[in-house]
Short mmCIF file of all heavy atoms in Angstrom, two decimals:
data_model
loop_
_atom_site.label_atom_id
_atom_site.label_comp_id
_atom_site.label_asym_id
_atom_site.label_seq_id
_atom_site.Cartn_x
_atom_site.Cartn_y
_atom_site.Cartn_z
N ASP Q 58 100.76 96.50 125.46
CA ASP Q 58 101.42 96.19 126.75
C ASP Q 58 101.89 94.75 126.73
O ASP Q 58 101.15 93.89 127.13
CB ASP Q 58 100.44 96.44 127.87
CG ASP Q 58 101.12 96.37 129.23
OD1 ASP Q 58 102.35 96.52 129.31
OD2 ASP Q 58 100.36 96.12 130.22
N PRO Q 59 103.08 94.52 126.28
CA PRO Q 59 104.13 95.49 125.84
C PRO Q 59 103.88 95.99 124.45
O PRO Q 59 103.13 95.41 123.69
CB PRO Q 59 105.41 94.65 125.91
CG PRO Q 59 104.99 93.26 125.61
CD PRO Q 59 103.57 93.15 126.20
N ILE Q 60 104.61 97.07 124.05
CA ILE Q 60 104.51 97.63 122.73
C ILE Q 60 105.02 96.55 121.75
O ILE Q 60 106.10 96.02 121.93
CB ILE Q 60 105.30 98.91 122.58
CG1 ILE Q 60 104.81 99.97 123.49
CG2 ILE Q 60 105.38 99.35 121.13
CD1 ILE Q 60 103.36 100.45 123.15
N GLU Q 61 104.22 96.22 120.73
CA GLU Q 61 104.65 95.25 119.72
C GLU Q 61 104.39 95.86 118.34
O GLU Q 61 103.28 96.38 118.06
CB GLU Q 61 103.87 93.94 119.87
CG GLU Q 61 104.33 92.87 118.96
CD GLU Q 61 103.56 91.55 119.15
OE1 GLU Q 61 102.84 91.44 120.14
OE2 GLU Q 61 103.72 90.67 118.28
N LEU Q 62 105.38 95.83 117.48
CA LEU Q 62 105.32 96.43 116.16
C LEU Q 62 105.60 95.34 115.13
O LEU Q 62 106.47 94.49 115.27
CB LEU Q 62 106.33 97.55 116.00
CG LEU Q 62 106.23 98.65 117.03
CD1 LEU Q 62 107.48 99.52 117.01
CD2 LEU Q 62 105.00 99.52 116.73
N ASP Q 63 104.85 95.36 114.05
CA ASP Q 63 105.06 94.47 112.89
C ASP Q 63 105.17 95.35 111.64
O ASP Q 63 104.70 96.49 111.64
CB ASP Q 63 103.88 93.53 112.67
CG ASP Q 63 103.87 92.34 113.61
OD1 ASP Q 63 104.96 92.05 114.22
OD2 ASP Q 63 102.84 91.71 113.76
N LEU Q 64 105.77 94.84 110.63
CA LEU Q 64 105.87 95.54 109.34
C LEU Q 64 104.48 95.70 108.73
O LEU Q 64 103.74 94.70 108.64
CB LEU Q 64 106.80 94.77 108.39
CG LEU Q 64 108.28 94.72 108.75
CD1 LEU Q 64 109.02 93.78 107.82
CD2 LEU Q 64 108.86 96.12 108.70
N GLU Q 65 104.14 96.87 108.37
CA GLU Q 65 102.86 97.10 107.67
C GLU Q 65 102.70 96.28 106.37
O GLU Q 65 101.62 95.85 106.08
CB GLU Q 65 102.69 98.63 107.41
CG GLU Q 65 101.42 98.99 106.70
CD GLU Q 65 100.16 98.74 107.48
OE1 GLU Q 65 100.18 98.55 108.72
OE2 GLU Q 65 99.07 98.76 106.87
N SER Q 66 103.83 96.08 105.68
CA SER Q 66 103.73 95.34 104.42
C SER Q 66 103.25 93.91 104.67
O SER Q 66 102.65 93.33 103.78
CB SER Q 66 105.17 95.35 103.79
OG SER Q 66 106.08 94.71 104.58
N ASP Q 67 103.44 93.34 105.87
CA ASP Q 67 102.93 92.00 106.14
C ASP Q 67 101.36 92.02 106.11
O ASP Q 67 100.77 91.05 105.74
CB ASP Q 67 103.39 91.50 107.51
CG ASP Q 67 104.84 91.25 107.56
OD1 ASP Q 67 105.51 91.15 106.49
OD2 ASP Q 67 105.40 91.11 108.68
N TYR Q 68 100.79 93.10 106.52
CA TYR Q 68 99.33 93.23 106.53
C TYR Q 68 98.79 93.62 105.20
O TYR Q 68 97.69 93.20 104.84
CB TYR Q 68 98.92 94.23 107.64
CG TYR Q 68 99.23 93.71 108.98
CD1 TYR Q 68 100.45 94.01 109.58
CD2 TYR Q 68 98.35 92.90 109.68
CE1 TYR Q 68 100.78 93.46 110.81
CE2 TYR Q 68 98.68 92.36 110.92
CZ TYR Q 68 99.90 92.66 111.48
OH TYR Q 68 100.20 92.15 112.69
N GLU Q 69 99.51 94.40 104.44
CA GLU Q 69 99.05 94.73 103.08
C GLU Q 69 98.90 93.49 102.23
O GLU Q 69 97.95 93.39 101.43
CB GLU Q 69 100.02 95.76 102.43
CG GLU Q 69 99.96 97.09 103.09
CD GLU Q 69 101.08 98.00 102.61
OE1 GLU Q 69 101.94 97.58 101.81
OE2 GLU Q 69 101.11 99.15 103.06
N ASP Q 70 99.82 92.57 102.35
CA ASP Q 70 99.70 91.30 101.58
C ASP Q 70 98.42 90.57 101.97
O ASP Q 70 97.75 90.02 101.17
CB ASP Q 70 100.94 90.40 101.88
CG ASP Q 70 102.20 90.98 101.26
OD1 ASP Q 70 102.12 91.84 100.36
OD2 ASP Q 70 103.27 90.49 101.66
N ASP Q 71 98.08 90.52 103.27
CA ASP Q 71 96.89 89.83 103.71
C ASP Q 71 95.65 90.52 103.16
O ASP Q 71 94.69 89.87 102.75
CB ASP Q 71 96.80 89.83 105.27
CG ASP Q 71 97.83 88.94 105.90
OD1 ASP Q 71 98.37 88.12 105.19
OD2 ASP Q 71 98.08 89.13 107.11
N GLU Q 72 95.63 91.86 103.12
CA GLU Q 72 94.48 92.58 102.57
C GLU Q 72 94.32 92.31 101.11
O GLU Q 72 93.22 92.20 100.63
CB GLU Q 72 94.62 94.05 102.87
CG GLU Q 72 94.50 94.36 104.39
CD GLU Q 72 94.88 95.77 104.70
OE1 GLU Q 72 95.15 96.56 103.79
OE2 GLU Q 72 94.92 96.10 105.91
N GLU Q 73 95.42 92.20 100.38
CA GLU Q 73 95.37 91.92 98.94
C GLU Q 73 94.79 90.51 98.73
O GLU Q 73 94.03 90.24 97.84
CB GLU Q 73 96.73 92.05 98.29
CG GLU Q 73 97.16 93.50 98.19
CD GLU Q 73 98.60 93.59 97.69
OE1 GLU Q 73 99.14 92.56 97.24
OE2 GLU Q 73 99.14 94.71 97.73
N ASP Q 74 95.18 89.57 99.59
CA ASP Q 74 94.69 88.21 99.49
C ASP Q 74 93.19 88.12 99.69
O ASP Q 74 92.51 87.30 99.06
CB ASP Q 74 95.39 87.27 100.52
CG ASP Q 74 96.84 87.07 100.22
OD1 ASP Q 74 97.28 87.35 99.06
OD2 ASP Q 74 97.61 86.58 101.09
N ASP Q 75 92.65 88.97 100.58
CA ASP Q 75 91.21 88.99 100.80
C ASP Q 75 90.44 89.41 99.53
O ASP Q 75 89.29 89.01 99.39
CB ASP Q 75 90.88 89.96 101.93
CG ASP Q 75 91.35 89.52 103.28
OD1 ASP Q 75 91.69 88.32 103.37
OD2 ASP Q 75 91.43 90.34 104.25
N ASP Q 76 91.10 90.16 98.67
CA ASP Q 76 90.45 90.61 97.46
C ASP Q 76 90.53 89.58 96.34
O ASP Q 76 89.96 89.82 95.25
CB ASP Q 76 91.05 91.94 96.96
CG ASP Q 76 90.84 93.03 97.93
OD1 ASP Q 76 89.85 92.97 98.67
OD2 ASP Q 76 91.64 94.02 97.92
N ASP Q 77 91.15 88.47 96.59
CA ASP Q 77 91.28 87.50 95.56
C ASP Q 77 89.96 86.86 95.07
O ASP Q 77 89.81 86.44 93.94
CB ASP Q 77 92.24 86.33 95.99
CG ASP Q 77 93.66 86.74 96.00
OD1 ASP Q 77 94.02 87.80 95.48
OD2 ASP Q 77 94.50 86.03 96.59
N TYR Q 78 89.01 86.78 95.96
CA TYR Q 78 87.72 86.22 95.68
C TYR Q 78 86.62 87.29 95.81
O TYR Q 78 86.57 88.04 96.73
CB TYR Q 78 87.39 85.09 96.66
CG TYR Q 78 88.39 83.94 96.62
CD1 TYR Q 78 89.31 83.81 97.64
CD2 TYR Q 78 88.45 83.08 95.57
CE1 TYR Q 78 90.22 82.79 97.63
CE2 TYR Q 78 89.36 82.05 95.51
CZ TYR Q 78 90.25 81.89 96.58
OH TYR Q 78 91.17 80.91 96.53
N ASP Q 79 85.78 87.30 94.77
CA ASP Q 79 84.62 88.14 94.91
C ASP Q 79 83.41 87.33 94.51
O ASP Q 79 83.47 86.15 94.22
CB ASP Q 79 84.73 89.42 94.01
CG ASP Q 79 84.98 89.08 92.56
OD1 ASP Q 79 84.55 88.02 92.08
OD2 ASP Q 79 85.55 89.97 91.85
N ASP Q 80 82.23 87.94 94.55
CA ASP Q 80 81.00 87.18 94.36
C ASP Q 80 80.97 86.51 92.96
O ASP Q 80 80.35 85.46 92.79
CB ASP Q 80 79.81 88.10 94.50
CG ASP Q 80 79.57 88.57 95.92
OD1 ASP Q 80 80.04 87.81 96.82
OD2 ASP Q 80 78.99 89.59 96.16
N ASP Q 81 81.65 87.09 92.00
CA ASP Q 81 81.63 86.48 90.64
C ASP Q 81 82.40 85.21 90.61
O ASP Q 81 82.19 84.40 89.70
CB ASP Q 81 82.22 87.48 89.64
CG ASP Q 81 81.36 88.70 89.46
OD1 ASP Q 81 80.15 88.64 89.73
OD2 ASP Q 81 81.92 89.77 89.09
N ASP Q 82 83.32 84.98 91.55
CA ASP Q 82 84.09 83.77 91.59
C ASP Q 82 83.46 82.65 92.35
O ASP Q 82 83.96 81.55 92.40
CB ASP Q 82 85.51 84.07 92.24
CG ASP Q 82 86.31 85.05 91.41
OD1 ASP Q 82 86.16 85.06 90.14
OD2 ASP Q 82 87.12 85.76 91.99
N TYR Q 83 82.32 82.92 92.99
CA TYR Q 83 81.69 81.95 93.85
C TYR Q 83 80.68 81.15 93.15
O TYR Q 83 79.78 81.74 92.46
CB TYR Q 83 81.09 82.69 95.06
CG TYR Q 83 80.58 81.76 96.12
CD1 TYR Q 83 81.44 81.09 96.91
CD2 TYR Q 83 79.22 81.62 96.34
CE1 TYR Q 83 81.00 80.26 97.91
CE2 TYR Q 83 78.72 80.77 97.31
CZ TYR Q 83 79.66 80.12 98.14
OH TYR Q 83 79.16 79.28 99.09
N ASP Q 84 80.75 79.84 93.22
CA ASP Q 84 79.78 78.95 92.55
C ASP Q 84 78.61 78.73 93.55
O ASP Q 84 78.80 78.09 94.58
CB ASP Q 84 80.46 77.63 92.20
CG ASP Q 84 79.45 76.60 91.71
OD1 ASP Q 84 78.46 77.01 91.07
OD2 ASP Q 84 79.69 75.41 91.97
N ASP Q 85 77.46 79.23 93.19
CA ASP Q 85 76.30 79.02 94.04
C ASP Q 85 75.23 78.29 93.32
O ASP Q 85 74.00 78.53 93.50
CB ASP Q 85 75.82 80.35 94.60
CG ASP Q 85 75.40 81.30 93.50
OD1 ASP Q 85 75.60 81.01 92.34
OD2 ASP Q 85 74.93 82.40 93.85
N ASP Q 86 75.62 77.35 92.44
CA ASP Q 86 74.58 76.58 91.74
C ASP Q 86 73.90 75.64 92.74
O ASP Q 86 74.23 75.53 93.90
CB ASP Q 86 75.17 75.78 90.56
CG ASP Q 86 76.22 74.81 90.93
OD1 ASP Q 86 76.39 74.51 92.11
OD2 ASP Q 86 76.98 74.32 90.07
N ASP Q 87 72.90 74.92 92.29
CA ASP Q 87 72.09 74.13 93.21
C ASP Q 87 72.59 72.67 93.36
O ASP Q 87 71.80 71.87 93.80
CB ASP Q 87 70.64 74.13 92.72
CG ASP Q 87 70.04 75.54 92.78
OD1 ASP Q 87 70.39 76.20 93.75
OD2 ASP Q 87 69.22 75.84 91.94
N ASP Q 88 73.85 72.43 93.09
CA ASP Q 88 74.35 71.06 93.26
C ASP Q 88 74.75 70.74 94.70
O ASP Q 88 75.17 69.64 94.98
CB ASP Q 88 75.51 70.73 92.29
CG ASP Q 88 76.75 71.52 92.60
OD1 ASP Q 88 76.78 72.31 93.57
OD2 ASP Q 88 77.77 71.31 91.89
N GLY Q 89 74.61 71.71 95.61
CA GLY Q 89 74.93 71.48 96.99
C GLY Q 89 76.38 71.60 97.33
O GLY Q 89 76.80 71.49 98.51
N ARG Q 90 77.19 71.92 96.38
CA ARG Q 90 78.62 72.14 96.61
C ARG Q 90 79.03 73.54 96.24
O ARG Q 90 79.15 73.86 95.04
CB ARG Q 90 79.47 71.13 95.75
CG ARG Q 90 79.24 69.69 96.19
CD ARG Q 90 80.03 68.80 95.31
NE ARG Q 90 79.41 68.95 93.92
CZ ARG Q 90 79.91 68.38 92.85
NH1 ARG Q 90 81.02 67.70 92.92
NH2 ARG Q 90 79.34 68.50 91.68
#
Side-chain angles (χ1 to χ4, degrees):
D58 189 21
I60 297 296
E61 185 178 350
L62 302 166
D63 281 342
L64 293 171
E65 177 67 15
S66 60
D67 292 345
Y68 294 91
E69 291 171 357
D70 291 342
D71 291 343
E72 292 169 6
E73 288 174 10
D74 291 344
D75 291 344
D76 294 336
D77 286 347
Y78 300 106
D79 58 25
D80 291 336
D81 294 335
D82 295 330
Y83 189 71
D84 172 32
D85 58 356
D86 60 15
D87 293 326
D88 67 359
R90 296 177 294 172

